Amino acid sequence: MSRPLKIMLVAGEASGDALGAALAQALRTRLGEDVVFVGVGGARMAEAGVASPFDISDLSVLGWLEGLKAYGVVKRRVADTAALAVAERPDAVVLIDSWGFTIRVAKAIRAALPDTPLIKYVGPQVWASRPGRAKTLAASVDHLLALYAFDAPWFEREGLPTTVVGSQALHVDMSSADPAAFRSSRGIAGDAPLLLVLPGSRRSEIALMTPVYEAAVARLKKADPGLEVAVIAAGPVADLVTAEVATWPFRAHLVAEGEKSPAMKAATVALATSGTVSTELALAGAPMVISYRFQPLSYAIMKPFFTGRYATLFNHAADEEIAKELIQSDATAENLAAEVGRLLADPEARASQAARQTAALDLMGREGRDPSDIAAEAVLRVIAAKSGGQTAPVVAVRRPAEPEISGQGG
């Protein structure tokens, strides 16, 4: 009797942890007892049977300056992860998101175990910045699982076989989310304006964004004392968000991760830190304003590498600023309050933006199979092809219509 497949999953932050857990579950559904998992991840992957040898919370960094500060920790964790691979000898390694960490892990494992298939799940957003990363990735792994059709050409032209699996965020099931029950449980009237604030899931984001959000909401509350405010406390940073919001001079309803979907559906307008959450908000039909701040030195270093017009995925897919983006120096309390206030005051503008957001999700490939199932199928095909000494075939999936991509080049 042949031994079970051993698959190593590696994630460095909360979003990758969720993808890794879903992929593990999809592989378990296909293989049952014929697969075992090792790897690095967080709480969700642990629940799915992937026990991590260390806490990944200190790997969730964004920005050049933040990366330099964390370099020593990242270097140690890369060595720990590569050592785990050498000890376990997996049949394949899936490296999930977290570019700075996982590309180093890929290179370390390739040097130690040159015949082990390496699969990257979520490529760097080269359409937005640093297109040269496509060539780096192609030289470091055997296959890419991309989230969107507009990702694929950047990597395929560098010779990296790519499977478009779709984004799990496009498949969040909100059918059972009850916005009326959410409002009722917090004493929020059904016709009261509700602003949902989503400050982020990285500790650096909370430190940078919550002060400006507090000031923006204070302006909005002064203009309309009846405005209700709710704040999402994402799992990895729930303690920080709770502590920050406790100091705000006005009432704000804290929302745990498990109540995110009904809160999104209940919101009149959302104010969100740029990230995958914008896709979920669009699915919920919530018109939004998007914002982001980096540490000033990090931004100064990174700005020349930004090549895309938009930070928000559905804006990029539509090649249009459907949701207003206020980044860095534009992300002031005054500007945020003005844009959110405009939407709060104009029901027609809210309805129009929500409809255009929904249309953009269709461009991103909202219809189709579950992304985790496609990813699991692709992983198994890469393993089979590698063991047979062949180039891994691209899994045939329907791609949505591809928008024009600004700044394309590499």
Side-chain angles (χ1 to χ4, degrees), residues 1-5 31-35:
M1 184 175 179
S2 61
R3 67 170 179 81
L5 277 179
L31 300 176
E33 297 302 313
D34 291 328
V35 63

Side-chain angles (χ1 to χ4, degrees), residues 288-291 309-327 330 339 342 352-353 356-357 360:
M288 72 196 82
V289 175
I290 298 296
S291 183
R309 292 177 63 188
Y310 306 113
T312 306
L313 286 166
F314 63 74
N315 282 350
H316 175 73
D319 196 23
E320 174 190 2
E321 191 178 39
I322 298 170
K324 184 68 176 179
E325 296 182 359
L326 296 168
I327 309 298
D330 292 329
E339 288 298 330
R342 176 183 61 81
S352 173
Q353 181 171 323
R356 287 183 293 138
Q357 289 172 179

Side-chain angles (χ1 to χ4, degrees), residues 199 204-214 273 291-293 331:
S204 60
E205 290 170 345
I206 304 309
L208 289 167
M209 302 310 301
T210 50
V212 71
Y213 289 158
E214 177 188 351
T273 297
S291 183
Y292 208 92
R293 280 186 173 184

Side-chain angles (χ1 to χ4, degrees), residues 13 15-16 19 97 122 125 147-148 167-170 172 198 201-202 205 260 264 272-283 288 290 311-314 361 364:
E13 58 186 355
S15 58
L19 288 175
D97 213 349
V122 187
Q125 292 182 338
L147 300 190
Y148 305 105
S167 170
Q168 201 67 49
L170 290 168
V172 173
L198 301 97
S201 61
R202 294 182 174 96
E205 290 170 345
K260 185 169 63 174
M264 289 178 172
T273 297
S274 179
T276 306
V277 73
S278 61
T279 300
E280 296 178 50
L281 284 166
L283 279 173
M288 72 196 82
I290 298 296
T312 306
L313 286 166
F314 63 74
L361 296 182
M364 290 166 63

Side-chain angles (χ1 to χ4, degrees), residues 46-317:
E47 292 174 0
V50 187
S52 180
F54 54 81
D55 185 353
I56 65 171
S57 61
D58 53 3
L59 295 173
S60 184
V61 294
L62 187 67
W64 286 63
L65 183 60
E66 296 84 348
L68 285 173
K69 290 179 179 177
Y71 179 72
V73 173
V74 172
K75 187 176 179 180
R76 289 194 300 274
R77 295 313 189 197
V78 167
D80 293 342
T81 306
L84 178 65
V86 170
E88 294 288 348
R89 302 276 169 162
D91 294 289
V93 180
V94 182
L95 304 154
I96 308 167
D97 213 349
S98 303
W99 170 260
F101 174 59
T102 57
I103 192 63
R104 289 172 172 82
V105 171
K107 291 176 179 179
I109 294 178
R110 176 54 48 87
L113 301 171
D115 295 327
T116 300
L118 301 181
I119 301 160
K120 185 71 171 72
Y121 191 179
V122 187
Q125 292 182 338
V126 292
W127 50 267
S129 68
R130 285 167 281 186
R133 286 178 167 182
K135 185 174 184 178
T136 300
L137 186 62
S140 305
V141 302
D142 299 292
H143 202 91
L144 170 65
L145 307 178
L147 300 190
Y148 305 105
F150 54 70
D151 287 323
W154 295 79
F155 300 96
E156 289 172 335
R157 65 170 168 255
E158 298 295 345
L160 180 60
T162 299
T163 300
V164 178
V165 302
S167 170
Q168 201 67 49
L170 290 168
H171 292 259
V172 173
D173 182 8
M174 296 197 178
S175 60
S176 61
D178 188 340
F182 174 84
R183 283 175 172 259
S184 177
S185 69
R186 285 164 171 76
I188 302 172
D191 59 352
L194 172 60
L195 172 63
L196 182 64
V197 180
L198 301 97
S201 61
R202 294 182 174 96
R203 301 182 87 80
S204 60
E205 290 170 345
I206 304 309
L208 289 167
M209 302 310 301
T210 50
V212 71
Y213 289 158
E214 177 188 351
V217 175
R219 286 174 174 265
L220 292 163
K221 289 282 287 183
K222 184 176 180 180
D224 180 7
L227 176 66
E228 296 277 2
V229 180
V231 182
I232 300 288
V237 293
D239 57 336
L240 284 182
V241 175
T242 300
E244 290 279 346
V245 171
T247 68
W248 288 7
F250 45 81
R251 184 179 70 167
H253 305 275
L254 278 170
V255 180
E257 191 84 31
E259 296 179 288
K260 185 169 63 174
S261 291
M264 289 178 172
K265 292 186 75 171
T268 308
V269 178
L271 174 57
T273 297
S274 179
T276 306
V277 73
S278 61
T279 300
E280 296 178 50
L281 284 166
L283 279 173
M288 72 196 82
V289 175
I290 298 296
S291 183
Y292 208 92
R293 280 186 173 184
F294 300 86
Q295 291 286 359
L297 181 56
S298 287
Y299 186 71
I301 295 171
M302 294 167 65
K303 188 176 180 181
F305 298 94
F306 293 150
T307 54
R309 292 177 63 188
Y310 306 113
T312 306
L313 286 166
F314 63 74
N315 282 350
H316 175 73

